[in-house]
Amino acid sequence: MLRLVIFLTAVVIWVHSSRLMSHASGVSAEDLSIHGFLQTNYDVRLTGQYPPNPQGGDLLFGEERFQLRLGYSKEKVRLFTRTDLFYDHVADRPDIESREAYAEGSVGSSDVRAGRQILIWGVGDYLFINDIFAKDWGAFFSGRPVEYLRVPQNAVKLDVGTTGLSAEIVAIPFFQADKLPSRSRFVQFDPFPGVARAAQEPELRVQNTELAGRLYGTTWGFDTALYLYRGFFRMPALQPNQMTTPTLVTETFPRLEVYGASTRGNALGGVVSVEIGYYNSIADRSGRDSTIPNSSFRYLAGYQRQLWEDFTLGLQYYGEVMMQYDTYRASVPSGFPVQDRHRQLMTLRLTQLFWNQTLRVGLFAFYSHTDQDYYLIPEVRYSISDNLWVAAVGNIFGGRRPTTFLGQLDANDNLAVTVRYEF
């Protein structure tokens, strides 16, 4: 608390001094922007089941957070930072996180942004094919505000716009893996229980720089895009030093290429979206190594429609088709779970607004009939004023097998409550 008070006092002094300096230097107030929020976010475990060496007991997540957003714009130059200071009650320590910190400039019809930034591609709703940028699944599964599903990337981004057609090119020199749920907070499947782990991320080399490109425009009323990515899988591949009695499991991130496309537009009385992508697993094209993900084709079809006033329905159907499946089956060691050739998943989103749209009641549901598992996210959010809102979010998991992506989380049902004041 003392550190928080010192930080907030420093912010007030900085804001006041910045205004004085801007006035003295002739910089107008319109060039500067100061926003942020104060937030409390607590998430309670509902099942009474705990992982080995649990951290936090029934408190799955708990924090007080202060975010400060500072922006400066002058002609064709923009500077922006988004910084979070918070106290994590489960880890019992304060911390600070840079969500964004970049410089942006314009030259003709091109924009260049360099620094820490949030990148979003694709048309999926909580389903990602060509959005290959890192995600924080631990934050998502513990009911934190959805913005924290996105992990900032340290990157350089070039936007080039022309009449009817635009391009976006991203270079990421610093690899960022997906943030998976902590094993000290979530009960989850471990194919190598009790075996020591080590992480081996791609080294900082020029040849390991991730490159991504997007070409997009509007055709016949549909927003259409083509995608290209060359980099690495963001979820770790587990590679034991030996399969029979391993003493060390190394988390590696094999090389990956993704080629894809998406389109979205008005049709059938609502909004229709389609997205496809081919994942080329460069490290194991033949599929003979079961510890490395096989190449796969992925697809997504979505439909969204307002059925009556303030009520919206959203549907999605998603699939992954594994390549070289027979070779993969033959390579899986005895006793290890086997993935399906064609994994399929459906989602449902229901949203109803009440009281002049100040109260939102919603449900998002995942269901896989191939994995036979599900994930339900009921939510109630009430805007007390333009600046203050409170929300309650549930996370309910289930499945027949403890080895599937959602089924392994069956013991982690939780309820999160968030209160945020924005300024």
Side-chain angles (χ1 to χ4, degrees):
M1 288 302 298
L2 177 60
R3 295 181 181 181
L4 179 60
V5 170
I6 293 173
F7 179 80
L8 294 177
T9 303
V11 168
V12 172
I13 295 174
W14 184 90
V15 170
H16 182 66
S17 61
S18 295
R19 288 174 175 172
L20 292 177
M21 291 174 62
S22 64
H23 179 72
S25 61
V27 177
S28 65
E30 289 76 15
D31 297 335
L32 300 173
S33 65
I34 302 173
H35 299 284
F37 62 74
L38 289 167
Q39 173 180 285
T40 61
N41 186 200
Y42 304 104
D43 183 33
V44 180
R45 188 189 309 275
L46 301 178
T47 62
Q49 302 181 57
Y50 308 96
N53 303 314
Q55 187 181 26
D58 286 330
L59 186 63
L60 194 62
F61 184 83
E63 68 169 22
E64 292 84 34
R65 182 174 291 259
F66 171 74
Q67 181 178 102
L68 181 65
R69 300 192 296 271
L70 302 174
Y72 170 80
S73 298
K74 188 66 173 179
E75 297 179 352
K76 295 185 177 182
V77 176
R78 185 183 182 216
L79 305 176
F80 182 76
T81 66
R82 185 195 304 260
T83 306
D84 286 15
L85 178 80
F86 59 94
Y87 191 93
D88 185 339
H89 287 278
V90 176
D92 195 21
R93 62 180 175 84
D95 208 343
I96 190 168
E97 176 187 16
S98 173
R99 296 290 297 170
E100 292 182 277
Y102 61 78
E104 189 173 44
S106 300
V107 179
S109 61
S110 302
D111 295 322
V112 179
R113 176 183 294 181
R116 196 165 180 81
Q117 52 194 287
I118 302 293
L119 299 168
I120 301 175
W121 285 1
V123 298
D125 187 6
Y126 292 165
L127 295 175
F128 311 103
I129 296 179
N130 295 293
D131 189 334
I132 43 72
F133 308 110
K135 311 292 186 300
D136 188 339
W137 297 107
F140 186 59
F141 294 150
S142 58
R144 297 179 63 190
V146 69
E147 66 201 73
Y148 289 97
L149 171 62
R150 304 281 178 176
V151 176
Q153 307 279 175
N154 297 312
V156 177
K157 179 168 71 76
L158 171 65
D159 287 288
V160 180
T162 60
T163 303
L165 193 65
S166 300
E168 188 174 11
I169 301 172
V170 178
I172 307 174
F174 307 98
F175 175 78
Q176 173 64 64
D178 278 355
K179 295 184 177 181
L180 301 180
S182 168
R183 294 191 175 275
S184 63
R185 303 194 190 192
F186 285 81
V187 179
Q188 51 193 303
F189 173 69
D190 186 353
F192 303 99
V195 179
R197 295 282 184 95
Q200 184 178 321
E201 294 189 354
E203 296 180 358
L204 181 59
R205 296 180 179 177
V206 174
Q207 56 268 37
N208 286 342
T209 298
E210 302 169 71
L211 297 175
R214 178 170 69 121
L215 187 66
Y216 60 98
T218 301
T219 306
W220 299 309
F222 277 74
D223 297 328
T224 303
L226 300 176
Y227 307 90
L228 176 65
Y229 169 74
R230 182 178 178 86
F232 305 87
F233 282 97
R234 297 199 185 277
M235 283 202 177
L238 304 182
Q239 297 188 312
N241 55 356
Q242 54 181 333
M243 294 302 297
T244 53
T245 56
T247 58
L248 178 66
V249 174
T250 303
E251 298 179 352
T252 65
F253 301 87
R255 289 191 175 273
L256 170 69
E257 292 177 343
V258 180
Y259 312 93
S262 69
T263 188
R264 176 167 52 191
N266 296 323
L268 304 176
V271 178
V272 174
S273 56
V274 176
E275 186 169 356
I276 58 173
Y278 178 74
Y279 279 51
N280 183 20
S281 183
I282 301 174
D284 185 31
R285 299 177 191 270
S286 64
R288 292 191 177 94
D289 189 344
S290 63
T291 65
I292 297 177
N294 274 29
S295 299
S296 63
F297 174 76
R298 308 186 182 192
Y299 63 88
L300 166 68
Y303 179 71
Q304 180 178 320
R305 182 173 182 175
Q306 181 172 304
L307 297 183
W308 55 79
E309 185 178 3
D310 291 336
F311 180 83
T312 305
L313 165 72
L315 300 168
Q316 292 182 117
Y317 196 92
Y318 170 86
E320 299 177 5
V321 182
M322 184 186 295
M323 306 290 108
Q324 294 85 35
Y325 186 75
D326 292 338
T327 305
Y328 158 77
R329 283 291 300 262
S331 68
V332 176
S334 177
F336 280 73
V338 177
Q339 300 178 38
D340 291 321
R341 181 195 299 269
H342 186 187
R343 178 175 178 260
Q344 299 166 69
L345 180 72
M346 296 174 285
T347 73
L348 169 69
R349 180 185 285 277
L350 303 173
T351 305
Q352 175 70 65
L353 302 176
F354 299 95
W355 302 344
N356 296 320
Q357 300 185 346
T358 59
L359 176 63
R360 185 179 72 199
V361 179
L363 171 69
F364 195 95
F366 297 84
Y367 174 71
S368 173
H369 59 278
T370 53
D371 286 352
Q372 296 181 311
D373 58 11
Y374 62 87
Y375 175 28
L376 307 178
I377 312 174
E379 177 187 15
V380 178
R381 172 170 164 166
Y382 177 59
S383 297
I384 301 171
S385 68
D386 292 340
N387 303 97
L388 179 63
W389 58 263
V390 57
V393 179
N395 293 278
I396 304 169
F397 307 91
R400 291 192 176 183
R401 291 175 289 171
T403 58
T404 60
F405 185 66
L406 298 176
Q408 66 176 317
L409 300 172
D410 190 22
N412 299 290
D413 295 354
N414 59 82
L415 175 65
V417 176
T418 303
V419 179
R420 176 183 291 188
Y421 176 78
E422 300 176 342
F423 61 88

